[in-house]
Amino acid sequence: MESTKSKKIKGFKRFKERAIEQILLIISILSILIVFIIFLYLILEGAPAFSKISFIDFIFGREWFSPIDKYGIMPLLIGSLYVTVIATVIAVILGVPSAIVLSEMMSPSIASIIKPIIEILNDIPSIVYGLIGMIILIPFMESSLSMVVGQSYLTAGIVLGIMALPTVISVSDDAIRSVPKGIKEGSLALGASHWETIKSVVIPSAISGIIASIILAMGRILGETMAVMFLVGCVTQIPSPLYNIFQSGDTMTTRIVSEMGEAARGSLQYHSLVSIGIILLIIVTILNLVADYARIRVQKKFGGVR
Amino acid sequence: MKFTTTCLAIVSVVVLIVTPFGYALEIVQVTGSSTVMPIAARSAELFTNNQKDIRVTVTGGGSGHGIEAVATGKADIGMASRDVTASEIERFGDRFVEHVIAKDAVAVVVSSDIYNAGVTNLTKEEIRRIFNGEIRNWSEVGGPNRWIAVIVRKPGSGTRDTFMEAIFGTALAKENGQDVAVSENAEMMMNIVNKKNAIGYISVGYLNENVKAIAIDGVLPTEENIYNGSYPISRNLYFYTYGDPLPKTQKFISFVLSPKGQKIVEEEGYLPVD
């Protein structure tokens, strides 16, 4: 009697465990499925655009002006590129040194207070960054750099750089912390100073992780929308001269938000806007793959420290 | 105890599901232009509070969206701040019925620095050349020696269409001088107030002490000038129905055109019909 009862309970337990496993499996498959559905949906909704404009004209077209059905995304590609590059440069210049200071030079007790504070930057809604940029940064740019309008690639880049800071700092910090103690101590034992150790041992060992953090930040910057909309000016034009980052412009994400509400479903405008989404998704996917590759490399190098 | 709680939960869910079927509630769906939306939303609130048979729901999305929705039967009323275009008639057929519910005018506004420096009147041609990037400095039109920051609305905005039709002759023209394109009247106001060198345009409903309208060819956008047609940038605001309105829809339209509804129009900063 006793043993059959316990067997029954065991059987039920095993069934329960198996059921939970199956449910978890289904859930994880679902989330993968969602990614595929999004891809499929974008392609189905975006592809009809290319029956009316050639793909080449779409990518290299110099003008986007919906009232006369002109859809060329070159100005948007340039805009996204400039904003992303400016923001990344700012995030790297401020972020990587902060990560080094946090992980190598500060006492752990202080670092454990400061890191969460930096990570709060990550939780501030992007619209708040946009408003602060609009109220403080834009008038500042106009008065100090005597720009005609403060809205520009530069302004958007500065604010996005600050937004991306926590990503760069916290991922780089983790990468630097994961450098094995033995390597560091070996360097110090050979008579290298603290700074020399950081410069020629710690940073080279963590470089893959640091690069991964930068690429993750780039992905975030590229996909950012609301803050950019207030700061970039939303004027679809190729800057003249081409390197003029003080001019107002437009990015891929802001163009989608600007026009999607007004675009009639099934119109060329609608399909073109979805196609911008496809391009954006492709770029972000490539960035993510590169970041993953960098992360795998760092793990191989140190035998899966992280 | 647990049993009672469960019973209560079931009963309340059933009640919640069944209740709406108890009333013969009719719904009038209104969608479209964000310029007309404040009027429709306030009217819908008052209208729905005063009787129980018809409920009015109002959503935005732009004039184009409103016209499409009403033509495809997704909405009972399409709000628009412009006429139905030829291409829309070609696409959906010519059964649109327009109901003018208010009048609106678009005022050209400049930053207060520029206004105070004496730019209080521009000709239509000067405005066109400024927005087209041919006049770049305020000194060319009697202002201080400052670059002009041209703020425009994004394509798709009814306000932009009205402005472009009056100044450029067609909404299909491009403003080559544009420095910033904004999405909302409120964002336009923020730019004009915060900058020291800006020109833009705004629905007269949004004018206040900080944002003053300038005269066009000597004509200010006063109520009188808009009604007698001497002010060049004005427009009607429409409710569009597809075919003759259903009784429930007609009731709401009549309410908006009644003195009560027209009072809302005035409170929202637009001009009542007639």
PDB file of all heavy atoms in Angstrom, chain B residues 50-72:
ATOM      1  N   ASN B  50     -25.902  63.742 -22.011  1.00  0.00           N
ATOM      2  CA  ASN B  50     -27.275  64.253 -21.995  1.00  0.00           C
ATOM      3  C   ASN B  50     -28.331  63.238 -22.391  1.00  0.00           C
ATOM      4  O   ASN B  50     -29.519  63.474 -22.229  1.00  0.00           O
ATOM      5  CB  ASN B  50     -27.390  65.490 -22.894  1.00  0.00           C
ATOM      6  CG  ASN B  50     -26.761  66.689 -22.222  1.00  0.00           C
ATOM      7  OD1 ASN B  50     -26.524  66.675 -21.009  1.00  0.00           O
ATOM      8  ND2 ASN B  50     -26.468  67.713 -22.994  1.00  0.00           N
ATOM      9  N   GLN B  51     -27.936  62.110 -22.999  1.00  0.00           N
ATOM     10  CA  GLN B  51     -28.909  61.086 -23.342  1.00  0.00           C
ATOM     11  C   GLN B  51     -28.245  59.722 -23.226  1.00  0.00           C
ATOM     12  O   GLN B  51     -27.027  59.642 -23.113  1.00  0.00           O
ATOM     13  CB  GLN B  51     -29.497  61.331 -24.744  1.00  0.00           C
ATOM     14  CG  GLN B  51     -28.503  61.721 -25.813  1.00  0.00           C
ATOM     15  CD  GLN B  51     -27.687  60.564 -26.286  1.00  0.00           C
ATOM     16  OE1 GLN B  51     -28.221  59.491 -26.482  1.00  0.00           O
ATOM     17  NE2 GLN B  51     -26.399  60.737 -26.465  1.00  0.00           N
ATOM     18  N   LYS B  52     -29.075  58.640 -23.250  1.00  0.00           N
ATOM     19  CA  LYS B  52     -28.483  57.333 -22.951  1.00  0.00           C
ATOM     20  C   LYS B  52     -28.460  56.390 -24.149  1.00  0.00           C
ATOM     21  O   LYS B  52     -27.853  55.332 -24.088  1.00  0.00           O
ATOM     22  CB  LYS B  52     -29.289  56.662 -21.812  1.00  0.00           C
ATOM     23  CG  LYS B  52     -28.946  57.222 -20.457  1.00  0.00           C
ATOM     24  CD  LYS B  52     -29.034  56.132 -19.383  1.00  0.00           C
ATOM     25  CE  LYS B  52     -28.421  56.532 -18.072  1.00  0.00           C
ATOM     26  NZ  LYS B  52     -29.159  57.607 -17.376  1.00  0.00           N
ATOM     27  N   ASP B  53     -29.091  56.766 -25.249  1.00  0.00           N
ATOM     28  CA  ASP B  53     -29.262  55.817 -26.348  1.00  0.00           C
ATOM     29  C   ASP B  53     -28.058  55.761 -27.291  1.00  0.00           C
ATOM     30  O   ASP B  53     -27.775  54.743 -27.887  1.00  0.00           O
ATOM     31  CB  ASP B  53     -30.505  56.174 -27.171  1.00  0.00           C
ATOM     32  CG  ASP B  53     -31.729  56.280 -26.281  1.00  0.00           C
ATOM     33  OD1 ASP B  53     -31.787  55.500 -25.316  1.00  0.00           O
ATOM     34  OD2 ASP B  53     -32.589  57.134 -26.553  1.00  0.00           O
ATOM     35  N   ILE B  54     -27.388  56.901 -27.442  1.00  0.00           N
ATOM     36  CA  ILE B  54     -26.302  56.970 -28.420  1.00  0.00           C
ATOM     37  C   ILE B  54     -25.004  57.338 -27.712  1.00  0.00           C
ATOM     38  O   ILE B  54     -24.974  58.284 -26.921  1.00  0.00           O
ATOM     39  CB  ILE B  54     -26.603  58.019 -29.512  1.00  0.00           C
ATOM     40  CG1 ILE B  54     -27.949  57.727 -30.178  1.00  0.00           C
ATOM     41  CG2 ILE B  54     -25.485  58.053 -30.540  1.00  0.00           C
ATOM     42  CD1 ILE B  54     -28.440  58.829 -31.072  1.00  0.00           C
ATOM     43  N   ARG B  55     -23.971  56.567 -27.992  1.00  0.00           N
ATOM     44  CA  ARG B  55     -22.675  56.920 -27.430  1.00  0.00           C
ATOM     45  C   ARG B  55     -21.749  57.279 -28.583  1.00  0.00           C
ATOM     46  O   ARG B  55     -21.731  56.616 -29.610  1.00  0.00           O
ATOM     47  CB  ARG B  55     -22.096  55.743 -26.653  1.00  0.00           C
ATOM     48  CG  ARG B  55     -21.208  56.207 -25.514  1.00  0.00           C
ATOM     49  CD  ARG B  55     -20.665  55.055 -24.720  1.00  0.00           C
ATOM     50  NE  ARG B  55     -19.782  54.257 -25.545  1.00  0.00           N
ATOM     51  CZ  ARG B  55     -19.469  52.993 -25.280  1.00  0.00           C
ATOM     52  NH1 ARG B  55     -20.015  52.392 -24.243  1.00  0.00           N
ATOM     53  NH2 ARG B  55     -18.646  52.333 -26.042  1.00  0.00           N
ATOM     54  N   VAL B  56     -20.955  58.353 -28.401  1.00  0.00           N
ATOM     55  CA  VAL B  56     -20.064  58.805 -29.462  1.00  0.00           C
ATOM     56  C   VAL B  56     -18.615  58.558 -29.045  1.00  0.00           C
ATOM     57  O   VAL B  56     -18.201  58.963 -27.965  1.00  0.00           O
ATOM     58  CB  VAL B  56     -20.272  60.303 -29.754  1.00  0.00           C
ATOM     59  CG1 VAL B  56     -19.366  60.755 -30.889  1.00  0.00           C
ATOM     60  CG2 VAL B  56     -21.727  60.583 -30.093  1.00  0.00           C
ATOM     61  N   THR B  57     -17.861  57.852 -29.889  1.00  0.00           N
ATOM     62  CA  THR B  57     -16.438  57.673 -29.607  1.00  0.00           C
ATOM     63  C   THR B  57     -15.626  58.457 -30.623  1.00  0.00           C
ATOM     64  O   THR B  57     -15.945  58.468 -31.815  1.00  0.00           O
ATOM     65  CB  THR B  57     -16.014  56.194 -29.693  1.00  0.00           C
ATOM     66  OG1 THR B  57     -16.240  55.741 -31.028  1.00  0.00           O
ATOM     67  CG2 THR B  57     -16.811  55.341 -28.731  1.00  0.00           C
ATOM     68  N   VAL B  58     -14.583  59.144 -30.144  1.00  0.00           N
ATOM     69  CA  VAL B  58     -13.788  60.003 -31.018  1.00  0.00           C
ATOM     70  C   VAL B  58     -12.321  59.576 -30.974  1.00  0.00           C
ATOM     71  O   VAL B  58     -11.755  59.432 -29.897  1.00  0.00           O
ATOM     72  CB  VAL B  58     -13.904  61.475 -30.583  1.00  0.00           C
ATOM     73  CG1 VAL B  58     -13.099  62.367 -31.523  1.00  0.00           C
ATOM     74  CG2 VAL B  58     -15.356  61.911 -30.560  1.00  0.00           C
ATOM     75  N   THR B  59     -11.738  59.352 -32.154  1.00  0.00           N
ATOM     76  CA  THR B  59     -10.306  59.068 -32.226  1.00  0.00           C
ATOM     77  C   THR B  59      -9.670  59.939 -33.296  1.00  0.00           C
ATOM     78  O   THR B  59     -10.354  60.458 -34.181  1.00  0.00           O
ATOM     79  CB  THR B  59     -10.030  57.589 -32.581  1.00  0.00           C
ATOM     80  OG1 THR B  59     -10.790  57.259 -33.754  1.00  0.00           O
ATOM     81  CG2 THR B  59     -10.439  56.664 -31.451  1.00  0.00           C
ATOM     82  N   GLY B  60      -8.344  60.110 -33.218  1.00  0.00           N
ATOM     83  CA  GLY B  60      -7.628  60.965 -34.173  1.00  0.00           C
ATOM     84  C   GLY B  60      -7.021  60.162 -35.302  1.00  0.00           C
ATOM     85  O   GLY B  60      -7.473  59.068 -35.600  1.00  0.00           O
ATOM     86  N   GLY B  61      -6.012  60.710 -35.935  1.00  0.00           N
ATOM     87  CA  GLY B  61      -5.323  59.959 -36.984  1.00  0.00           C
ATOM     88  C   GLY B  61      -5.093  60.766 -38.254  1.00  0.00           C
ATOM     89  O   GLY B  61      -4.410  60.317 -39.160  1.00  0.00           O
ATOM     90  N   GLY B  62      -5.673  61.968 -38.329  1.00  0.00           N
ATOM     91  CA  GLY B  62      -5.433  62.807 -39.498  1.00  0.00           C
ATOM     92  C   GLY B  62      -6.604  62.807 -40.470  1.00  0.00           C
ATOM     93  O   GLY B  62      -7.393  61.865 -40.502  1.00  0.00           O
ATOM     94  N   SER B  63      -6.685  63.882 -41.267  1.00  0.00           N
ATOM     95  CA  SER B  63      -7.794  64.051 -42.202  1.00  0.00           C
ATOM     96  C   SER B  63      -7.889  62.880 -43.172  1.00  0.00           C
ATOM     97  O   SER B  63      -8.979  62.359 -43.437  1.00  0.00           O
ATOM     98  CB  SER B  63      -7.619  65.348 -42.998  1.00  0.00           C
ATOM     99  OG  SER B  63      -7.616  66.452 -42.131  1.00  0.00           O
ATOM    100  N   GLY B  64      -6.738  62.472 -43.709  1.00  0.00           N
ATOM    101  CA  GLY B  64      -6.721  61.390 -44.692  1.00  0.00           C
ATOM    102  C   GLY B  64      -7.288  60.108 -44.100  1.00  0.00           C
ATOM    103  O   GLY B  64      -8.098  59.420 -44.730  1.00  0.00           O
ATOM    104  N   HIS B  65      -6.889  59.842 -42.878  1.00  0.00           N
ATOM    105  CA  HIS B  65      -7.374  58.649 -42.196  1.00  0.00           C
ATOM    106  C   HIS B  65      -8.888  58.726 -41.996  1.00  0.00           C
ATOM    107  O   HIS B  65      -9.605  57.744 -42.203  1.00  0.00           O
ATOM    108  CB  HIS B  65      -6.659  58.510 -40.852  1.00  0.00           C
ATOM    109  CG  HIS B  65      -7.253  57.473 -39.954  1.00  0.00           C
ATOM    110  ND1 HIS B  65      -7.120  56.137 -40.222  1.00  0.00           N
ATOM    111  CD2 HIS B  65      -7.984  57.581 -38.827  1.00  0.00           C
ATOM    112  CE1 HIS B  65      -7.744  55.462 -39.281  1.00  0.00           C
ATOM    113  NE2 HIS B  65      -8.282  56.309 -38.417  1.00  0.00           N
ATOM    114  N   GLY B  66      -9.387  59.905 -41.589  1.00  0.00           N
ATOM    115  CA  GLY B  66     -10.820  60.086 -41.360  1.00  0.00           C
ATOM    116  C   GLY B  66     -11.641  59.825 -42.602  1.00  0.00           C
ATOM    117  O   GLY B  66     -12.667  59.135 -42.554  1.00  0.00           O
ATOM    118  N   ILE B  67     -11.159  60.364 -43.722  1.00  0.00           N
ATOM    119  CA  ILE B  67     -11.903  60.216 -44.972  1.00  0.00           C
ATOM    120  C   ILE B  67     -11.906  58.753 -45.406  1.00  0.00           C
ATOM    121  O   ILE B  67     -12.927  58.213 -45.839  1.00  0.00           O
ATOM    122  CB  ILE B  67     -11.308  61.143 -46.052  1.00  0.00           C
ATOM    123  CG1 ILE B  67     -11.729  62.579 -45.732  1.00  0.00           C
ATOM    124  CG2 ILE B  67     -11.768  60.748 -47.447  1.00  0.00           C
ATOM    125  CD1 ILE B  67     -10.959  63.639 -46.441  1.00  0.00           C
ATOM    126  N   GLU B  68     -10.752  58.094 -45.269  1.00  0.00           N
ATOM    127  CA  GLU B  68     -10.679  56.671 -45.638  1.00  0.00           C
ATOM    128  C   GLU B  68     -11.615  55.841 -44.759  1.00  0.00           C
ATOM    129  O   GLU B  68     -12.354  54.983 -45.238  1.00  0.00           O
ATOM    130  CB  GLU B  68      -9.241  56.169 -45.497  1.00  0.00           C
ATOM    131  CG  GLU B  68      -9.066  54.791 -46.124  1.00  0.00           C
ATOM    132  CD  GLU B  68      -7.823  54.079 -45.620  1.00  0.00           C
ATOM    133  OE1 GLU B  68      -6.960  54.739 -45.017  1.00  0.00           O
ATOM    134  OE2 GLU B  68      -7.750  52.861 -45.811  1.00  0.00           O
ATOM    135  N   ALA B  69     -11.590  56.135 -43.448  1.00  0.00           N
ATOM    136  CA  ALA B  69     -12.372  55.341 -42.501  1.00  0.00           C
ATOM    137  C   ALA B  69     -13.862  55.463 -42.785  1.00  0.00           C
ATOM    138  O   ALA B  69     -14.602  54.487 -42.733  1.00  0.00           O
ATOM    139  CB  ALA B  69     -12.056  55.770 -41.071  1.00  0.00           C
ATOM    140  N   VAL B  70     -14.329  56.680 -43.102  1.00  0.00           N
ATOM    141  CA  VAL B  70     -15.756  56.863 -43.333  1.00  0.00           C
ATOM    142  C   VAL B  70     -16.170  56.223 -44.665  1.00  0.00           C
ATOM    143  O   VAL B  70     -17.261  55.675 -44.789  1.00  0.00           O
ATOM    144  CB  VAL B  70     -16.152  58.355 -43.238  1.00  0.00           C
ATOM    145  CG1 VAL B  70     -15.727  59.131 -44.468  1.00  0.00           C
ATOM    146  CG2 VAL B  70     -17.639  58.490 -43.009  1.00  0.00           C
ATOM    147  N   ALA B  71     -15.261  56.260 -45.643  1.00  0.00           N
ATOM    148  CA  ALA B  71     -15.599  55.690 -46.950  1.00  0.00           C
ATOM    149  C   ALA B  71     -15.626  54.167 -46.907  1.00  0.00           C
ATOM    150  O   ALA B  71     -16.380  53.527 -47.620  1.00  0.00           O
ATOM    151  CB  ALA B  71     -14.592  56.165 -48.008  1.00  0.00           C
ATOM    152  N   THR B  72     -14.792  53.573 -46.061  1.00  0.00           N
ATOM    153  CA  THR B  72     -14.732  52.121 -45.983  1.00  0.00           C
ATOM    154  C   THR B  72     -15.658  51.571 -44.909  1.00  0.00           C
ATOM    155  O   THR B  72     -15.674  50.374 -44.653  1.00  0.00           O
ATOM    156  CB  THR B  72     -13.290  51.643 -45.698  1.00  0.00           C
ATOM    157  OG1 THR B  72     -12.813  52.345 -44.551  1.00  0.00           O
ATOM    158  CG2 THR B  72     -12.375  51.895 -46.870  1.00  0.00           C
TER     159      THR B  72
END
